[in-house]
Amino acid sequence: MWLWSLLALAALAGLFWLVVRLPGAGAATPGTARRILDERYARGEIDEDDYRRRRAGLS
């Protein structure tokens, strides 16, 4: 009997993990993309023209 309870608990834990981890996995929001673009510009990785072009593409 305790074995079935343990298996049910493991199944619920696995389901919880899937619900929490999968829906947003790898999805970048526009705010995140904008923040990354701002950081790249601040570090000097891209110039102002490239920054403005990419920023316009995000909106």
Short mmCIF file of all heavy atoms in Angstrom, two decimals:
data_model
loop_
_atom_site.label_atom_id
_atom_site.label_comp_id
_atom_site.label_asym_id
_atom_site.label_seq_id
_atom_site.Cartn_x
_atom_site.Cartn_y
_atom_site.Cartn_z
N MET A 1 0.83 -1.20 0.00
CA MET A 1 0.00 0.00 0.00
C MET A 1 0.88 1.26 0.00
O MET A 1 0.57 2.21 -0.70
CB MET A 1 -0.91 -0.03 1.22
CG MET A 1 -1.79 1.15 1.33
SD MET A 1 -3.41 0.62 0.90
CE MET A 1 -4.32 2.05 1.21
N TRP A 2 1.91 1.29 0.80
CA TRP A 2 2.78 2.46 0.85
C TRP A 2 3.51 2.67 -0.47
O TRP A 2 3.86 3.78 -0.83
CB TRP A 2 3.75 2.38 2.02
CG TRP A 2 4.72 1.22 1.93
CD1 TRP A 2 4.56 -0.02 2.42
CD2 TRP A 2 6.00 1.25 1.30
NE1 TRP A 2 5.64 -0.80 2.11
CE2 TRP A 2 6.55 -0.03 1.42
CE3 TRP A 2 6.72 2.22 0.62
CZ2 TRP A 2 7.79 -0.37 0.90
CZ3 TRP A 2 7.96 1.89 0.11
CH2 TRP A 2 8.48 0.60 0.25
N LEU A 3 3.73 1.58 -1.22
CA LEU A 3 4.40 1.69 -2.51
C LEU A 3 3.54 2.49 -3.50
O LEU A 3 4.03 3.35 -4.22
CB LEU A 3 4.71 0.31 -3.07
CG LEU A 3 5.45 0.27 -4.40
CD1 LEU A 3 6.79 1.00 -4.27
CD2 LEU A 3 5.65 -1.14 -4.87
N TRP A 4 2.22 2.23 -3.50
CA TRP A 4 1.33 2.96 -4.39
C TRP A 4 1.26 4.44 -4.01
O TRP A 4 1.20 5.32 -4.88
CB TRP A 4 -0.08 2.36 -4.36
CG TRP A 4 -0.11 1.03 -5.06
CD1 TRP A 4 -0.28 -0.17 -4.48
CD2 TRP A 4 0.06 0.80 -6.45
NE1 TRP A 4 -0.22 -1.16 -5.43
CE2 TRP A 4 -0.02 -0.59 -6.68
CE3 TRP A 4 0.27 1.62 -7.57
CZ2 TRP A 4 0.10 -1.17 -7.92
CZ3 TRP A 4 0.39 1.03 -8.82
CH2 TRP A 4 0.31 -0.33 -8.99
N SER A 5 1.30 4.72 -2.72
CA SER A 5 1.31 6.11 -2.26
C SER A 5 2.58 6.82 -2.71
O SER A 5 2.55 7.97 -3.14
CB SER A 5 1.21 6.17 -0.73
OG SER A 5 0.01 5.60 -0.30
N LEU A 6 3.69 6.12 -2.63
CA LEU A 6 4.96 6.69 -3.06
C LEU A 6 4.98 6.95 -4.56
O LEU A 6 5.43 8.00 -5.03
CB LEU A 6 6.11 5.76 -2.67
CG LEU A 6 7.52 6.25 -2.93
CD1 LEU A 6 7.79 7.53 -2.15
CD2 LEU A 6 8.53 5.18 -2.56
N LEU A 7 4.44 6.01 -5.33
CA LEU A 7 4.35 6.19 -6.78
C LEU A 7 3.42 7.35 -7.15
O LEU A 7 3.70 8.12 -8.07
CB LEU A 7 3.88 4.90 -7.45
CG LEU A 7 4.89 3.76 -7.49
CD1 LEU A 7 4.25 2.51 -8.05
CD2 LEU A 7 6.11 4.17 -8.32
N ALA A 8 2.31 7.48 -6.45
CA ALA A 8 1.38 8.58 -6.71
C ALA A 8 2.04 9.91 -6.38
O ALA A 8 1.89 10.90 -7.13
CB ALA A 8 0.10 8.39 -5.89
N LEU A 9 2.78 9.96 -5.29
CA LEU A 9 3.48 11.19 -4.92
C LEU A 9 4.55 11.55 -5.96
O LEU A 9 4.69 12.71 -6.33
CB LEU A 9 4.11 11.02 -3.54
CG LEU A 9 4.80 12.24 -2.96
CD1 LEU A 9 3.81 13.38 -2.80
CD2 LEU A 9 5.45 11.89 -1.63
N ALA A 10 5.27 10.54 -6.45
CA ALA A 10 6.27 10.78 -7.49
C ALA A 10 5.61 11.28 -8.77
O ALA A 10 6.14 12.17 -9.45
CB ALA A 10 7.07 9.51 -7.75
N ALA A 11 4.47 10.73 -9.12
CA ALA A 11 3.75 11.17 -10.32
C ALA A 11 3.29 12.62 -10.17
O ALA A 11 3.39 13.41 -11.11
CB ALA A 11 2.56 10.25 -10.58
N LEU A 12 2.79 12.98 -9.01
CA LEU A 12 2.37 14.36 -8.78
C LEU A 12 3.56 15.32 -8.82
O LEU A 12 3.45 16.42 -9.38
CB LEU A 12 1.65 14.48 -7.43
CG LEU A 12 0.24 13.93 -7.37
CD1 LEU A 12 -0.29 13.98 -5.95
CD2 LEU A 12 -0.66 14.71 -8.31
N ALA A 13 4.68 14.91 -8.26
CA ALA A 13 5.87 15.74 -8.30
C ALA A 13 6.34 15.93 -9.74
O ALA A 13 6.72 17.04 -10.15
CB ALA A 13 6.98 15.13 -7.46
N GLY A 14 6.29 14.88 -10.54
CA GLY A 14 6.66 14.98 -11.95
C GLY A 14 5.73 15.89 -12.73
O GLY A 14 6.16 16.69 -13.55
N LEU A 15 4.46 15.79 -12.46
CA LEU A 15 3.48 16.65 -13.11
C LEU A 15 3.69 18.11 -12.74
O LEU A 15 3.66 19.00 -13.59
CB LEU A 15 2.07 16.20 -12.75
CG LEU A 15 0.92 16.97 -13.39
CD1 LEU A 15 0.97 16.82 -14.90
CD2 LEU A 15 -0.40 16.48 -12.86
N PHE A 16 3.95 18.36 -11.46
CA PHE A 16 4.23 19.71 -11.00
C PHE A 16 5.46 20.27 -11.70
O PHE A 16 5.47 21.41 -12.16
CB PHE A 16 4.42 19.72 -9.48
CG PHE A 16 4.80 21.07 -8.93
CD1 PHE A 16 3.84 22.05 -8.79
CD2 PHE A 16 6.11 21.35 -8.57
CE1 PHE A 16 4.18 23.30 -8.30
CE2 PHE A 16 6.46 22.59 -8.07
CZ PHE A 16 5.49 23.56 -7.94
N TRP A 17 6.50 19.47 -11.81
CA TRP A 17 7.73 19.89 -12.47
C TRP A 17 7.46 20.27 -13.93
O TRP A 17 7.95 21.29 -14.41
CB TRP A 17 8.79 18.80 -12.39
CG TRP A 17 10.08 19.19 -13.00
CD1 TRP A 17 11.07 19.93 -12.43
CD2 TRP A 17 10.53 18.89 -14.33
NE1 TRP A 17 12.10 20.10 -13.32
CE2 TRP A 17 11.79 19.47 -14.49
CE3 TRP A 17 9.97 18.17 -15.38
CZ2 TRP A 17 12.51 19.36 -15.67
CZ3 TRP A 17 10.69 18.06 -16.55
CH2 TRP A 17 11.94 18.66 -16.68
N LEU A 18 6.67 19.45 -14.63
CA LEU A 18 6.34 19.75 -16.02
C LEU A 18 5.58 21.05 -16.16
O LEU A 18 5.84 21.85 -17.05
CB LEU A 18 5.53 18.60 -16.63
CG LEU A 18 6.30 17.34 -16.98
CD1 LEU A 18 5.33 16.25 -17.42
CD2 LEU A 18 7.32 17.61 -18.06
N VAL A 19 4.62 21.27 -15.28
CA VAL A 19 3.80 22.48 -15.35
C VAL A 19 4.66 23.72 -15.10
O VAL A 19 4.50 24.74 -15.77
CB VAL A 19 2.63 22.40 -14.34
CG1 VAL A 19 1.95 23.75 -14.17
CG2 VAL A 19 1.62 21.36 -14.80
N VAL A 20 5.59 23.63 -14.18
CA VAL A 20 6.41 24.78 -13.82
C VAL A 20 7.49 25.04 -14.86
O VAL A 20 7.74 26.19 -15.23
CB VAL A 20 7.05 24.57 -12.42
CG1 VAL A 20 8.09 25.62 -12.14
CG2 VAL A 20 5.98 24.58 -11.36
N ARG A 21 8.12 24.02 -15.39
CA ARG A 21 9.30 24.19 -16.24
C ARG A 21 8.99 24.34 -17.73
O ARG A 21 9.66 25.11 -18.40
CB ARG A 21 10.24 22.99 -16.06
CG ARG A 21 10.77 22.86 -14.66
CD ARG A 21 11.65 23.98 -14.26
NE ARG A 21 12.90 23.86 -14.97
CZ ARG A 21 13.82 24.78 -15.01
NH1 ARG A 21 13.65 25.90 -14.38
NH2 ARG A 21 14.92 24.60 -15.69
N LEU A 22 8.05 23.62 -18.26
CA LEU A 22 7.89 23.58 -19.71
C LEU A 22 7.23 24.79 -20.36
O LEU A 22 7.69 25.22 -21.40
CB LEU A 22 7.16 22.30 -20.12
CG LEU A 22 7.97 21.02 -19.97
CD1 LEU A 22 7.15 19.83 -20.45
CD2 LEU A 22 9.27 21.09 -20.72
N PRO A 23 6.17 25.36 -19.84
CA PRO A 23 5.48 26.41 -20.59
C PRO A 23 6.36 27.60 -20.98
O PRO A 23 6.24 28.11 -22.07
CB PRO A 23 4.36 26.86 -19.67
CG PRO A 23 4.10 25.69 -18.80
CD PRO A 23 5.43 25.02 -18.63
N GLY A 24 7.27 28.03 -20.13
CA GLY A 24 8.08 29.19 -20.44
C GLY A 24 9.50 28.86 -20.84
O GLY A 24 10.33 29.74 -20.96
N ALA A 25 9.79 27.60 -21.07
CA ALA A 25 11.17 27.21 -21.36
C ALA A 25 11.64 27.82 -22.67
O ALA A 25 11.09 27.57 -23.73
CB ALA A 25 11.27 25.69 -21.41
N GLY A 26 12.67 28.64 -22.58
CA GLY A 26 13.27 29.22 -23.77
C GLY A 26 12.53 30.38 -24.38
O GLY A 26 12.98 30.92 -25.38
N ALA A 27 11.42 30.75 -23.87
CA ALA A 27 10.65 31.85 -24.43
C ALA A 27 11.17 33.18 -23.91
O ALA A 27 11.22 33.40 -22.72
CB ALA A 27 9.17 31.70 -24.08
N ALA A 28 11.58 34.02 -24.82
CA ALA A 28 12.06 35.35 -24.43
C ALA A 28 10.93 36.35 -24.65
O ALA A 28 10.32 36.40 -25.71
CB ALA A 28 13.27 35.74 -25.26
N THR A 29 10.64 37.13 -23.67
CA THR A 29 9.62 38.14 -23.79
C THR A 29 10.22 39.38 -24.44
O THR A 29 11.44 39.56 -24.43
CB THR A 29 9.05 38.52 -22.41
OG1 THR A 29 10.10 39.04 -21.62
CG2 THR A 29 8.44 37.30 -21.73
N PRO A 30 9.41 40.25 -25.03
CA PRO A 30 9.96 41.47 -25.62
C PRO A 30 10.77 42.29 -24.63
O PRO A 30 11.77 42.90 -24.98
CB PRO A 30 8.72 42.22 -26.09
CG PRO A 30 7.69 41.18 -26.30
CD PRO A 30 7.98 40.11 -25.27
N GLY A 31 10.38 42.31 -23.37
CA GLY A 31 11.13 43.03 -22.36
C GLY A 31 12.52 42.45 -22.17
O GLY A 31 13.50 43.17 -22.00
N THR A 32 12.61 41.14 -22.22
CA THR A 32 13.89 40.47 -22.10
C THR A 32 14.77 40.77 -23.30
O THR A 32 15.96 41.06 -23.15
CB THR A 32 13.69 38.95 -21.97
OG1 THR A 32 12.84 38.69 -20.87
CG2 THR A 32 15.01 38.24 -21.75
N ALA A 33 14.20 40.71 -24.48
CA ALA A 33 14.96 41.01 -25.69
C ALA A 33 15.46 42.45 -25.67
O ALA A 33 16.61 42.72 -26.05
CB ALA A 33 14.10 40.75 -26.92
N ARG A 34 14.63 43.34 -25.23
CA ARG A 34 15.02 44.75 -25.14
C ARG A 34 16.15 44.95 -24.14
O ARG A 34 17.10 45.68 -24.38
CB ARG A 34 13.80 45.58 -24.75
CG ARG A 34 14.06 47.02 -24.43
CD ARG A 34 14.21 47.87 -25.70
NE ARG A 34 14.59 49.20 -25.37
CZ ARG A 34 13.75 50.17 -25.03
NH1 ARG A 34 12.46 49.94 -25.00
NH2 ARG A 34 14.20 51.36 -24.74
N ARG A 35 16.07 44.25 -23.01
CA ARG A 35 17.11 44.36 -21.99
C ARG A 35 18.44 43.82 -22.51
O ARG A 35 19.48 44.44 -22.32
CB ARG A 35 16.69 43.58 -20.74
CG ARG A 35 17.70 43.67 -19.61
CD ARG A 35 17.28 42.87 -18.40
NE ARG A 35 16.89 41.50 -18.68
CZ ARG A 35 17.75 40.50 -18.89
NH1 ARG A 35 19.04 40.71 -18.86
NH2 ARG A 35 17.30 39.29 -19.15
N ILE A 36 18.40 42.71 -23.23
CA ILE A 36 19.62 42.15 -23.80
C ILE A 36 20.21 43.10 -24.83
O ILE A 36 21.43 43.32 -24.87
CB ILE A 36 19.34 40.77 -24.42
CG1 ILE A 36 19.00 39.77 -23.32
CG2 ILE A 36 20.52 40.29 -25.25
CD1 ILE A 36 18.46 38.45 -23.84
N LEU A 37 19.35 43.69 -25.65
CA LEU A 37 19.82 44.65 -26.64
C LEU A 37 20.45 45.86 -25.97
O LEU A 37 21.53 46.32 -26.39
CB LEU A 37 18.65 45.08 -27.53
CG LEU A 37 18.96 46.02 -28.68
CD1 LEU A 37 19.93 45.36 -29.65
CD2 LEU A 37 17.69 46.42 -29.39
N ASP A 38 19.83 46.38 -24.93
CA ASP A 38 20.39 47.51 -24.18
C ASP A 38 21.75 47.16 -23.59
O ASP A 38 22.69 47.96 -23.64
CB ASP A 38 19.45 47.94 -23.05
CG ASP A 38 18.17 48.60 -23.57
OD1 ASP A 38 18.14 48.98 -24.76
OD2 ASP A 38 17.22 48.72 -22.78
N GLU A 39 21.87 45.95 -23.05
CA GLU A 39 23.14 45.53 -22.47
C GLU A 39 24.24 45.41 -23.54
O GLU A 39 25.38 45.81 -23.30
CB GLU A 39 22.98 44.19 -21.75
CG GLU A 39 22.16 44.30 -20.48
CD GLU A 39 21.84 42.94 -19.88
OE1 GLU A 39 22.25 41.90 -20.44
OE2 GLU A 39 21.17 42.92 -18.84
N ARG A 40 23.89 44.88 -24.69
CA ARG A 40 24.88 44.75 -25.76
C ARG A 40 25.35 46.11 -26.25
O ARG A 40 26.52 46.32 -26.52
CB ARG A 40 24.29 43.95 -26.93
CG ARG A 40 24.13 42.48 -26.61
CD ARG A 40 23.72 41.69 -27.81
NE ARG A 40 24.79 41.73 -28.78
CZ ARG A 40 24.62 41.45 -30.07
NH1 ARG A 40 23.43 41.11 -30.53
NH2 ARG A 40 25.64 41.50 -30.90
N TYR A 41 24.42 47.06 -26.32
CA TYR A 41 24.79 48.42 -26.72
C TYR A 41 25.67 49.08 -25.66
O TYR A 41 26.68 49.72 -25.99
CB TYR A 41 23.52 49.25 -26.95
CG TYR A 41 23.79 50.68 -27.35
CD1 TYR A 41 24.44 50.98 -28.54
CD2 TYR A 41 23.39 51.72 -26.53
CE1 TYR A 41 24.69 52.29 -28.90
CE2 TYR A 41 23.64 53.04 -26.89
CZ TYR A 41 24.28 53.32 -28.07
OH TYR A 41 24.54 54.62 -28.43
N ALA A 42 25.33 48.87 -24.40
CA ALA A 42 26.11 49.46 -23.31
C ALA A 42 27.54 48.89 -23.27
O ALA A 42 28.48 49.61 -22.94
CB ALA A 42 25.42 49.23 -21.97
N ARG A 43 27.69 47.62 -23.62
CA ARG A 43 29.02 47.01 -23.62
C ARG A 43 29.82 47.37 -24.87
O ARG A 43 30.99 47.05 -24.96
CB ARG A 43 28.90 45.49 -23.54
CG ARG A 43 28.54 44.98 -22.17
CD ARG A 43 28.70 43.47 -22.07
NE ARG A 43 27.90 42.74 -23.03
CZ ARG A 43 26.74 42.15 -22.75
NH1 ARG A 43 26.26 42.20 -21.52
NH2 ARG A 43 26.08 41.49 -23.67
N GLY A 44 29.16 48.00 -25.85
CA GLY A 44 29.85 48.39 -27.08
C GLY A 44 29.91 47.29 -28.12
O GLY A 44 30.68 47.37 -29.07
N GLU A 45 29.10 46.25 -27.97
CA GLU A 45 29.09 45.15 -28.92
C GLU A 45 28.43 45.54 -30.24
O GLU A 45 28.73 44.95 -31.27
CB GLU A 45 28.40 43.93 -28.32
CG GLU A 45 29.12 43.33 -27.14
CD GLU A 45 28.37 42.16 -26.53
OE1 GLU A 45 27.36 41.71 -27.11
OE2 GLU A 45 28.80 41.69 -25.46
N ILE A 46 27.49 46.47 -30.17
CA ILE A 46 26.83 46.95 -31.39
C ILE A 46 26.88 48.48 -31.40
O ILE A 46 26.93 49.12 -30.35
CB ILE A 46 25.36 46.45 -31.46
CG1 ILE A 46 24.56 46.87 -30.23
CG2 ILE A 46 25.31 44.95 -31.65
CD1 ILE A 46 23.10 46.50 -30.28
N ASP A 47 26.84 49.05 -32.60
CA ASP A 47 26.89 50.51 -32.69
C ASP A 47 25.47 51.08 -32.61
O ASP A 47 24.48 50.36 -32.56
CB ASP A 47 27.61 50.95 -33.96
CG ASP A 47 26.92 50.50 -35.24
OD1 ASP A 47 25.82 49.93 -35.16
OD2 ASP A 47 27.48 50.73 -36.32
N GLU A 48 25.40 52.42 -32.63
CA GLU A 48 24.11 53.09 -32.43
C GLU A 48 23.13 52.79 -33.55
O GLU A 48 21.94 52.56 -33.30
CB GLU A 48 24.32 54.60 -32.30
CG GLU A 48 23.04 55.34 -31.99
CD GLU A 48 23.25 56.83 -31.77
OE1 GLU A 48 24.42 57.28 -31.76
OE2 GLU A 48 22.24 57.53 -31.61
N ASP A 49 23.60 52.77 -34.79
CA ASP A 49 22.70 52.49 -35.92
C ASP A 49 22.12 51.08 -35.80
O ASP A 49 20.92 50.87 -36.02
CB ASP A 49 23.44 52.65 -37.25
CG ASP A 49 23.82 54.09 -37.52
OD1 ASP A 49 23.13 55.00 -37.01
OD2 ASP A 49 24.81 54.31 -38.25
N ASP A 50 22.97 50.13 -35.50
CA ASP A 50 22.51 48.75 -35.35
C ASP A 50 21.55 48.65 -34.17
O ASP A 50 20.52 47.96 -34.26
CB ASP A 50 23.71 47.82 -35.14
CG ASP A 50 23.38 46.37 -35.37
OD1 ASP A 50 22.38 46.08 -36.06
OD2 ASP A 50 24.13 45.51 -34.85
N TYR A 51 21.84 49.33 -33.09
CA TYR A 51 20.96 49.34 -31.91
C TYR A 51 19.57 49.87 -32.28
O TYR A 51 18.56 49.25 -31.96
CB TYR A 51 21.58 50.18 -30.80
CG TYR A 51 20.67 50.42 -29.63
CD1 TYR A 51 20.45 49.42 -28.68
CD2 TYR A 51 20.03 51.64 -29.46
CE1 TYR A 51 19.61 49.64 -27.61
CE2 TYR A 51 19.20 51.87 -28.39
CZ TYR A 51 18.98 50.86 -27.46
OH TYR A 51 18.15 51.08 -26.40
N ARG A 52 19.54 51.01 -32.95
CA ARG A 52 18.24 51.61 -33.31
C ARG A 52 17.45 50.73 -34.28
O ARG A 52 16.24 50.58 -34.15
CB ARG A 52 18.45 53.00 -33.91
CG ARG A 52 18.92 54.00 -32.89
CD ARG A 52 19.02 55.40 -33.50
NE ARG A 52 19.64 56.34 -32.59
CZ ARG A 52 18.99 56.97 -31.63
NH1 ARG A 52 17.72 56.76 -31.44
NH2 ARG A 52 19.65 57.82 -30.83
N ARG A 53 18.14 50.10 -35.23
CA ARG A 53 17.47 49.23 -36.20
C ARG A 53 16.86 48.02 -35.50
O ARG A 53 15.71 47.66 -35.72
CB ARG A 53 18.46 48.79 -37.27
CG ARG A 53 17.85 47.90 -38.34
CD ARG A 53 18.86 47.53 -39.41
NE ARG A 53 20.11 47.02 -38.88
CZ ARG A 53 20.31 45.75 -38.49
NH1 ARG A 53 19.32 44.88 -38.55
NH2 ARG A 53 21.49 45.37 -38.05
N ARG A 54 17.65 47.41 -34.61
CA ARG A 54 17.16 46.23 -33.90
C ARG A 54 16.05 46.58 -32.91
O ARG A 54 15.09 45.83 -32.74
CB ARG A 54 18.30 45.54 -33.17
CG ARG A 54 19.29 44.90 -34.11
CD ARG A 54 20.47 44.33 -33.35
NE ARG A 54 21.51 43.90 -34.24
CZ ARG A 54 22.06 42.70 -34.21
NH1 ARG A 54 21.66 41.82 -33.31
NH2 ARG A 54 23.01 42.39 -35.07
N ARG A 55 16.17 47.74 -32.29
CA ARG A 55 15.14 48.18 -31.34
C ARG A 55 13.81 48.43 -32.06
O ARG A 55 12.75 48.08 -31.56
CB ARG A 55 15.61 49.44 -30.62
CG ARG A 55 14.69 49.88 -29.54
CD ARG A 55 15.28 51.01 -28.77
NE ARG A 55 14.25 51.63 -27.98
CZ ARG A 55 14.40 52.75 -27.31
NH1 ARG A 55 15.56 53.36 -27.32
NH2 ARG A 55 13.43 53.25 -26.62
N ALA A 56 13.90 49.01 -33.24
CA ALA A 56 12.67 49.24 -34.03
C ALA A 56 12.05 47.91 -34.43
O ALA A 56 10.81 47.79 -34.51
CB ALA A 56 12.99 50.08 -35.26
N GLY A 57 12.87 46.91 -34.66
CA GLY A 57 12.34 45.59 -35.03
C GLY A 57 11.63 44.90 -33.89
O GLY A 57 10.80 44.01 -34.11
N LEU A 58 11.94 45.28 -32.66
CA LEU A 58 11.31 44.66 -31.51
C LEU A 58 9.91 45.21 -31.23
O LEU A 58 9.08 44.54 -30.62
CB LEU A 58 12.16 44.86 -30.24
CG LEU A 58 13.46 44.09 -30.19
CD1 LEU A 58 14.25 44.47 -28.95
CD2 LEU A 58 13.20 42.61 -30.21
N SER A 59 9.66 46.44 -31.66
CA SER A 59 8.36 47.03 -31.34
C SER A 59 7.33 46.80 -32.41
O SER A 59 7.41 46.08 -33.28
CB SER A 59 8.49 48.52 -31.10
OG SER A 59 9.22 49.15 -32.11
#
